[in-house]
Amino acid sequence: MRRIIERIWLPGDMIPNEIDLAKEFGCARATVNRAMRALADEGLLERRRKAGTRVALNPIRKATLEIPITRLEVEQRGGTWRHSVLERSEVVPPVSVASRLGLSDKIEMLHVRSLHYADNHPFLYEDRWVNLSEVAAICDVDLQEIDANEWLVQNTPLTKGDISFSAANATKQEAELLQTSEGEAIFVIDRTTWNGDVPVTIVRLAYAPGYRMHTEI
Amino acid sequence: MRRIIERIWLPGDMIPNEIDLAKEFGCARATVNRAMRALADEGLLERRRKAGTRVALNPIRKATLEIPITRLEVEQRGGTWRHSVLERSEVVPPVSVASRLGLSDKIEMLHVRSLHYADNHPFLYEDRWVNLSEVAAICDVDLQEIDANEWLVQNTPLTKGDISFSAANATKQEAELLQTSEGEAIFVIDRTTWNGDVPVTIVRLAYAPGYRMHTEI
């Protein structure tokens, strides 16, 4: 890693083979192999069967993002978290939601809208749909006691997720809930989570103005 | 992983020790150890010396984000990339920039503002400052030929970076450049990159409305 980030090995360069590296560093070949795999996972090396291993042409490390539990996120920022369930209903979803999940728009889903607070200031407005045929047990859960996301993470298999981040102008309703003005820029996360090929939940998270998502590489 | 995501091993559960797992799976203990480490890196396991290994209380995998070269990002979206350097000057930075980098606001830096296009539509407005005492060689580079980010990635050691994502209302200048209206919500990435403890560059990337950053877990 040091040789790559200090550009001693330049982007595109072939690097020595594992046997030579093991000799140089005085370690087992398996150790070199493990290190190579880690560097390839981070995006610093490109490994090709037969063609050998090169320094990536754009050796930038990937950033990792935690997908946070809102309660923990607020607490990590030093705030006191609470949340308030604004709506909980079993209704047929709009076509836009059903079609993104590949579900029928005739079958009822759980619709939960809630507002999360940090130190009594609105922090996040959450609009969530849950596939009841996959997670019927949520019907018996008091979502004011434990928020839907935290309950789902702890009680349902979630094998994959699609996440997108974008900016949006606050609608009138969002502005009222987040105590800001209509049109104010807000940070939005749209996330769909699956168990295998079965959709579990789709959520839109609209953060109060000023929110920044931070990561390091 | 399957046992964790299917909640056979529940959040907070202790998992069997490596010797028992190696026996069960008929593999070497080193293989089990490597798998445990990979799962811990992904955030699914919590390993504590002496206390043993537990399933994470919030077993959500971390998402990884590529920090893209804009040219490649546009090309991956199927577009044709070009960019136009709007300004290139060696000037003293505003205090806000100098102080974030821990540099003097009396020493000149390279200021580069450029507009990236996808299929001739504005895609990204980039406002960048480069620490010339660290990367003097950039002075001889034609930044219309290769964009500053791509040149820096290929030619400078970049050992760490701070990245934050946020939403902002387009300023009048940004709106004109991105061919949108003042106040429109835009997605913004602020990134500072370091070589060890020396700041290399700070950049604000303002994406045209409609931009979504996508990842999967």
Side-chain angles (χ1 to χ4, degrees):
Chain A
M1 182 184 288
R2 186 182 62 77
R3 288 180 191 177
I4 296 168
I5 60 187
E6 294 186 357
R7 303 299 190 259
I8 295 167
W9 291 347
L10 290 172
D13 277 2
M14 291 285 296
I15 69 165
N17 69 42
E18 292 182 1
I19 296 169
D20 291 343
L21 287 171
K23 215 174 285 174
E24 180 187 347
F25 288 97
C27 64
R29 185 174 167 181
T31 306
V32 174
N33 182 273
R34 197 164 65 208
M36 294 293 133
R37 197 163 8 169
L39 291 174
D41 286 347
E42 287 197 42
L44 296 182
L45 288 178
E46 281 165 11
R47 309 173 92 197
R48 298 239 175 97
R49 221 169 274 279
K50 291 181 184 164
T53 301
R54 291 177 182 277
V55 177
L57 281 175
N58 297 302
I60 315 185
R61 276 182 274 179
K62 290 178 186 168
T64 57
L65 278 184
E66 306 252 2
I67 305 304
I69 304 289
T70 303
R71 176 176 64 78
L72 297 178
E73 187 177 22
V74 169
E75 288 171 0
Q76 277 158 12
R77 287 165 189 241
T80 302
W81 174 83
R82 69 179 177 88
H83 86 306
S84 165
V85 176
L86 308 175
E87 178 188 344
R88 175 191 179 134
S89 55
E90 293 176 26
V91 287
V92 295
V95 177
S96 61
V97 166
S99 67
R100 274 177 64 190
L101 297 176
L103 295 174
S104 159
D105 59 5
K106 306 282 182 289
I107 297 174
E108 289 183 353
M109 295 181 72
L110 178 65
H111 189 201
V112 183
R113 296 189 306 111
S114 54
L115 192 55
H116 297 252
Y117 296 83
D119 293 332
N120 293 323
H121 298 292
F123 177 75
L124 165 65
Y125 169 54
E126 172 178 341
D127 187 333
R128 177 186 296 277
W129 293 84
V130 180
N131 179 5
L132 288 173
S133 45
E134 178 65 11
V135 257
I138 201 171
C139 293
D140 302 323
V141 177
D142 179 352
L143 295 176
Q144 188 59 65
E145 282 298 309
I146 179 168
D147 95 275
N149 186 49
E150 196 161 353
W151 186 86
L152 287 166
V153 164
Q154 290 176 7
N155 294 278
T156 350
L158 303 169
T159 63
K160 57 178 181 158
D162 270 320
I163 309 171
S164 76
F165 306 89
S166 58
N169 292 99
T171 62
K172 189 157 178 294
Q173 183 201 38
E174 288 166 341
E176 276 167 17
L177 290 168
L178 295 172
Q179 292 175 20
T180 184
S181 317
E182 191 176 347
E184 195 69 15
I186 54 176
F187 188 82
V188 174
I189 302 181
D190 289 288
R191 190 169 65 214
T192 309
T193 322
W194 310 73
N195 175 18
D197 292 329
V198 181
V200 174
T201 187
I202 183 169
V203 66
R204 180 175 194 272
L205 305 170
Y207 288 84
Y211 177 82
R212 298 178 87 80
M213 184 174 78
H214 184 257
T215 187
E216 288 175 7
I217 48 172
Chain B
M1 182 184 285
R2 186 183 62 79
R3 289 180 191 177
I4 296 169
I5 61 188
E6 294 186 357
R7 303 300 189 259
I8 295 167
W9 290 347
L10 291 172
D13 278 2
M14 293 284 297
I15 69 164
N17 67 43
E18 291 182 359
I19 295 169
D20 291 345
L21 287 171
K23 215 174 283 173
E24 181 188 346
F25 287 99
C27 64
R29 185 173 166 183
T31 306
V32 173
N33 181 273
R34 196 164 65 207
M36 294 295 134
R37 196 162 9 171
L39 291 174
D41 286 348
E42 286 197 42
L44 295 181
L45 289 178
E46 281 164 12
R47 310 174 92 198
R48 296 236 176 100
R49 220 169 276 278
K50 290 182 185 163
T53 300
R54 292 176 182 277
V55 178
L57 282 175
N58 297 301
I60 315 182
R61 277 181 274 178
K62 289 177 185 168
T64 57
L65 279 183
E66 307 252 3
I67 306 303
I69 303 289
T70 303
R71 177 176 64 76
L72 298 177
E73 186 177 22
V74 169
E75 287 170 1
Q76 276 157 13
R77 288 165 189 241
T80 301
W81 173 82
R82 69 179 175 89
H83 87 305
S84 164
V85 175
L86 308 175
E87 177 188 345
R88 174 189 182 136
S89 54
E90 292 175 28
V91 286
V92 295
V95 177
S96 61
V97 166
S99 67
R100 276 177 63 189
L101 297 176
L103 295 175
S104 159
D105 58 5
K106 306 281 181 291
I107 297 175
E108 289 184 353
M109 296 181 71
L110 178 65
H111 189 201
V112 183
R113 296 188 308 112
S114 53
L115 192 55
H116 298 252
Y117 296 83
D119 293 333
N120 292 323
H121 298 292
F123 176 75
L124 164 65
Y125 169 54
E126 172 179 342
D127 187 333
R128 176 184 298 275
W129 292 85
V130 180
N131 179 5
L132 288 174
S133 44
E134 178 66 12
V135 255
I138 200 170
C139 293
D140 302 322
V141 177
D142 178 352
L143 295 175
Q144 188 60 63
E145 282 297 309
I146 179 168
D147 94 276
N149 185 49
E150 196 162 354
W151 187 86
L152 286 167
V153 163
Q154 290 176 8
N155 294 279
T156 350
L158 303 169
T159 63
K160 58 178 181 160
D162 270 319
I163 309 171
S164 75
F165 307 90
S166 58
N169 292 99
T171 61
K172 187 159 182 291
Q173 183 201 39
E174 288 166 342
E176 276 167 17
L177 291 168
L178 296 172
Q179 291 175 23
T180 184
S181 318
E182 191 176 348
E184 195 68 16
I186 53 175
F187 187 83
V188 173
I189 301 181
D190 289 288
R191 190 170 65 214
T192 309
T193 321
W194 310 73
N195 175 19
D197 292 328
V198 182
V200 174
T201 185
I202 183 169
V203 65
R204 181 176 194 272
L205 305 170
Y207 288 84
Y211 179 81
R212 298 178 87 80
M213 183 174 77
H214 184 257
T215 186
E216 289 176 8
I217 48 171

